[in-house]
Amino acid sequence: MGFIGKQASKEQVTLWKSTKTIGIIGLGDMGLLYARRFTESGWNVVGCDREETFEESKQKYCDENFTILKNGHQVSRCSDYIIYSVEAESIGKVVSLYGESTKLGAIVGGQTSCKAPEVAAFEKYLPKDVEIISVHSLHGPKVNTAGQPLVIIDHRSYSEESRQFVDALMSCLNSKKVYLTAKEHDKITADTQALTHAAFLSMGVAWHATKEYPWEAKRWIGGLENAKINISLRIYSNKWHVYAGLAITNPSAHEQILQYANSVTELFTLMIQGKGEELRKRVLGAREKVFGHLDNNYELLLDDDLLQQFSLNKEPPEGRQPNSHLSLLGIVDSWSKLDIVPYDHIICSTPLFRIFLGVTEYLFCSPNLLEECLNVAISDTSFRQDDLEFTLAARNWSNVVSYGDYNLYRQQFEETQRFFAPMLAEANKLGNEMVKIIFQRVKEREEAKRR
Ligand SMILES: NC(=O)C1=CN([C@@H]2O[C@H](COP(=O)(O)OP(=O)(O)OC[C@H]3O[C@@H](n4cnc5c(N)ncnc54)[C@H](OP(=O)(O)O)[C@@H]3O)[C@@H](O)[C@H]2O)C=CC1
Ligand SMILES: O=C(O)C(=O)Cc1ccc(O)cc1
């Protein structure tokens, strides 16, 4: 579906750059990323953080080429396109504060990860003359925006010119624009992000519970394990509210995280009951449903060798340690039960989701690997305690999300975050490298296909 008939002319964009103002409410990680990228491209940008921190913000951003204003009223009064980039939990409250100050005929959007509460707040608190075109960059603040998906939601635009203006502004990110409705966006992001985060958050809690740094223990060896460890730590190096908001505010996410907890519990139960045949049947059935459509020539996205180099251990042991991979069996079982075909969403996927899919695909589609994993699951007890902790963690995250308890979410997230704190900076560096190399590989492959 096209968002604009045709792009604005160069002259028009130059004129907008000299006459329009872009406002950003919330100069946290994502707001700052946008403010910098827009100013670098020649747009006039103003922004604010919470009013209480105005003096601090002025100091903090004194070397930047955008203007810091006192509060969202001032930003709203003078901006032609305003982006709310605040915590999902407080979007309603923040829009209720500043919405009425929006400049006559301006356009408003937001960066929150779930759009239902965001557009509800816009509809409730913005004057009717204001247009609503929202955005969502499907990546974290430290990822290069080029080539990453950027969702644009035209919820209430009144003219082609407004759409062209937002399109021209967003073009400076060089992201892949994807046009969706708010409802489509929330369903797809639940499918891709909710389960991914539930799995990696649970891994972190399980390692924390056994008081084991996985890169030190000699049991998580090999590329698949490196990917699990790096992504889990990457999530724990972000802010808790990003994951809490995304899961708690999205009703589809609740259902999916609950399914993940159930899948993991049921698979673990089959393991400890020694019901090998039943486990095998269930896992192979799920494989058929999720990966059955891939033909024999399908080239896997990732392999163990590629991921070997990304170990947090300075002297990683050689080889690969077989593992029951409960977290990965659980995800494919959940996709199967929820009728999710993860490939359908690749256009709208975050880097973490793509890596997760790559790792899962590798386990399920490489000859013998899944068989080995099922054998370990049934007959090798060395991962049982970890699998037990993992199951408890998955159920716990599901409970916290379904109760909508932000405080408990924060407490649990930050406890595990503290456990990993000494390694987060290093893990982030390595994770960035991993994301970059994998992204490059995908690009090369797409180019080769086109040739
Ligand atoms: N981080 C990520 O990976 C991604 C996040 N998102 C979404 O983007 C949004 C922002 O996330 P992110 O930048 O990471 O989070 P941050 O916490 O870094 O940024 C949010 C900012 O909004 C500020 N804020 C809160 N209330 C107000 C207010 N009344 N007026 C002005 N500023 C205010 C916060 O200030 P204070 O800290 O003082 O409260 C903070 O600086 C969230 O909804 C998140 O879900 C989307 C894509 C990726
Ligand atoms: O890639 C991921 O899943 C991340 O963890 C980063 C992220 C977090 C929140 C979003 O709304 C979009 C991307």
Side-chain angles (χ1 to χ4, degrees):
M1 185 188 65
F3 168 62
I4 48 171
K6 65 180 177 81
Q7 285 181 338
S9 66
K10 264 194 179 148
E11 294 73 32
Q12 178 65 72
V13 178
T14 308
L15 182 68
W16 280 333
K17 284 184 180 175
S18 62
T19 53
K20 300 256 187 203
T21 297
I22 313 302
I24 302 201
I25 298 180
L27 286 172
D29 293 338
M30 293 305 286
L32 185 60
L33 170 75
Y34 270 32
R36 283 186 173 147
R37 295 298 299 271
F38 295 161
T39 40
E40 278 161 20
S41 301
W43 293 90
N44 178 40
V45 178
V46 300
C48 72
D49 242 323
R50 279 184 303 109
E51 187 168 341
E52 305 88 283
T53 56
F54 177 50
E55 291 304 324
E56 222 175 280
S57 300
K58 268 199 302 192
Q59 280 298 317
K60 197 162 143 197
Y61 301 121
C62 62
D63 292 331
E64 304 281 352
N65 289 323
F66 49 83
T67 308
I68 298 295
L69 298 177
K70 194 166 156 197
N71 57 34
H73 292 296
Q74 293 192 354
V75 171
S76 299
R77 291 284 291 129
C78 69
S79 302
D80 300 283
Y81 183 42
I82 300 139
I83 300 176
Y84 284 80
S85 191
V86 300
E87 294 86 342
E89 186 187 4
S90 50
I91 185 77
K93 202 184 107 219
V94 180
V95 180
S96 79
L97 280 175
Y98 310 131
E100 276 186 22
S101 301
T102 309
K103 179 175 167 180
L104 185 73
I107 310 166
V108 170
Q111 176 68 262
T112 64
S113 311
C114 175
K115 295 303 179 188
E118 186 185 284
V119 296
F122 290 158
E123 281 175 0
K124 186 165 175 192
Y125 298 114
L126 295 176
K128 289 286 172 276
D129 59 89
V130 170
E131 297 174 65
I132 302 169
I133 302 177
S134 214
V135 293
H136 185 194
S137 281
L138 292 181
H139 55 80
K142 298 199 177 75
V143 171
N144 182 348
T145 55
Q148 299 296 345
L150 162 67
V151 179
I152 299 187
I153 295 166
D154 174 12
H155 189 69
R156 185 173 90 191
S157 71
Y158 296 145
S159 74
E160 174 74 354
E161 186 180 335
S162 302
R163 293 187 287 273
Q164 286 177 335
F165 164 45
V166 172
D167 187 81
L169 169 70
M170 288 297 154
S171 292
C172 75
L173 299 174
N174 292 322
S175 297
K176 257 194 213 152
K177 296 181 203 128
V178 184
Y179 306 108
L180 298 174
T181 63
K183 208 165 166 193
E184 288 164 345
H185 166 277
D186 289 355
K187 175 67 176 72
I188 294 177
T189 51
D191 285 359
T192 53
Q193 292 191 282
L195 290 178
T196 308
H197 298 157
F200 291 105
L201 286 165
S202 303
M203 284 178 213
V205 168
W207 283 317
H208 181 199
T210 51
K211 300 273 175 292
E212 211 159 19
Y213 287 126
W215 57 91
E216 284 177 356
K218 299 274 182 285
R219 292 187 304 133
W220 286 278
I221 305 167
L224 283 190
E225 305 299 351
N226 290 343
K228 283 186 194 168
I229 297 167
N230 292 343
I231 297 181
S232 181
L233 264 68
R234 199 177 167 78
I235 286 181
Y236 280 103
S237 66
N238 213 337
K239 290 179 181 142
W240 70 274
H241 72 75
V242 173
Y243 302 104
L246 191 146
I248 292 175
T249 56
N250 190 333
S252 302
H254 289 216
E255 181 202 349
Q256 301 189 3
I257 296 170
L258 177 63
Q259 178 59 55
Y260 189 62
N262 288 341
S263 287
V264 166
T265 306
E266 286 161 20
L267 294 172
F268 182 63
T269 306
L270 293 175
M271 287 180 196
I272 57 174
Q273 287 175 335
K275 293 187 175 164
E277 254 329 289
E278 229 176 286
L279 179 71
R280 206 164 168 275
K281 202 167 146 217
R282 179 157 172 171
V283 169
L284 295 186
R287 173 171 74 173
E288 183 51 35
K289 215 166 146 193
V290 175
F291 298 110
H293 66 286
L294 300 180
D295 63 37
N296 289 340
N297 300 327
Y298 178 77
E299 212 185 324
L300 295 178
L301 183 63
L302 296 179
D303 60 56
D304 211 62
D305 291 344
L306 176 78
L307 298 168
Q308 280 284 1
Q309 53 183 311
F310 300 110
S311 174
L312 277 173
N313 190 323
K314 296 262 174 304
E315 288 165 20
E318 294 275 310
R320 182 176 60 77
Q321 167 82 35
N323 184 321
S324 55
H325 291 301
L326 179 56
S327 59
L328 305 182
L329 300 185
I331 197 78
V332 176
D333 192 71
S334 300
W335 282 334
S336 157
K337 293 263 187 271
L338 292 162
D339 290 320
I340 293 174
V341 181
Y343 298 92
D344 288 353
H345 298 326
I346 224 69
I347 182 76
C348 230
S349 59
T350 68
L352 300 195
F353 174 75
R354 289 196 293 275
I355 296 174
F356 196 25
L357 178 59
V359 165
T360 312
E361 185 189 81
Y362 181 67
L363 175 69
F364 275 73
C365 304
S366 323
N368 304 330
L369 215 55
L370 189 61
E371 280 302 329
E372 176 191 271
C373 154
L374 289 170
N375 288 338
V376 172
I378 288 297
S379 47
D380 182 344
T381 55
S382 52
F383 280 95
R384 284 281 158 83
Q385 188 195 352
D386 307 287
D387 286 345
L388 170 66
E389 292 297 351
F390 183 80
T391 306
L392 293 173
R395 290 170 68 111
N396 194 38
W397 281 119
S398 168
N399 278 337
V400 174
V401 167
S402 63
Y403 290 136
D405 192 331
Y406 283 93
N407 285 333
L408 195 54
Y409 196 108
R410 177 178 197 161
Q411 191 188 322
Q412 306 219 338
F413 185 97
E414 290 185 338
E415 265 173 25
T416 300
Q417 190 175 53
R418 277 193 288 279
F419 174 70
F420 286 120
M423 211 53 169
L424 290 180
E426 182 72 22
N428 231 330
K429 238 175 37 204
L430 202 65
N432 282 343
E433 203 48 37
M434 194 172 83
V435 167
K436 212 164 82 195
I437 299 262
I438 293 170
F439 186 63
Q440 226 168 318
R441 184 171 162 144
V442 173
K443 232 169 79 186
E444 280 164 15
R445 195 177 300 172
E446 279 170 2
E447 275 160 18
K449 254 194 232 153
R450 256 183 259 127
R451 261 183 253 128

